[in-house]
Amino acid sequence: WHDSGDFMSEKYLLMAYDIAHATPEVIHYAYTKMVSMVSASQRPKNFVFNFSLGATPEEEKFIKPESKQSIVVPHQLFEKYILL
């Protein structure tokens, strides 16, 4: 769903869920730091989330060990590879 950005409101998350319900043959995939909002929602079966570590400590406490997770890599690690 995003190459940059997140689900910043419940209204936007529910809109994405409506689209997922309307397209059951499609697997929808999103990265998010909005763990508490997503965890409290009724996620469609065809919607997969990857929780991005680096959310606030309040959000990270909602991440279950069995959840799909990713680490946000600081851009500084790649500076020497960027051609200007």
Side-chain angles (χ1 to χ4, degrees), residues 2 4-6 9 14-15 19 21 25 29 32 43-44 49 51 53 60 67 70-71 74-75 80-81 84:
H2 307 103
S4 179
D6 209 335
S9 71
L14 295 177
M15 180 215 50
I19 293 169
H21 284 298
E25 70 285 356
Y29 184 85
T32 187
R43 179 183 55 84
F49 284 99
F51 294 121
L53 299 179
E60 284 192 1
S67 298
S70 64
I71 297 171
H75 68 86
K80 66 181 180 182
Y81 301 108
L84 298 177

Side-chain angles (χ1 to χ4, degrees), residues 17-58:
Y17 285 177
D18 286 344
I19 293 169
H21 284 298
T23 56
E25 70 285 356
V26 175
I27 302 296
H28 295 263
Y29 184 85
Y31 290 89
T32 187
K33 290 183 179 180
M34 305 303 288
V35 185
S36 60
M37 182 173 62
V38 168
S39 296
S41 67
Q42 296 294 316
R43 179 183 55 84
K45 290 182 180 182
N46 63 328
F47 213 112
V48 177
F49 284 99
N50 189 331
F51 294 121
S52 299
L53 299 179
T56 64
E58 294 80 25

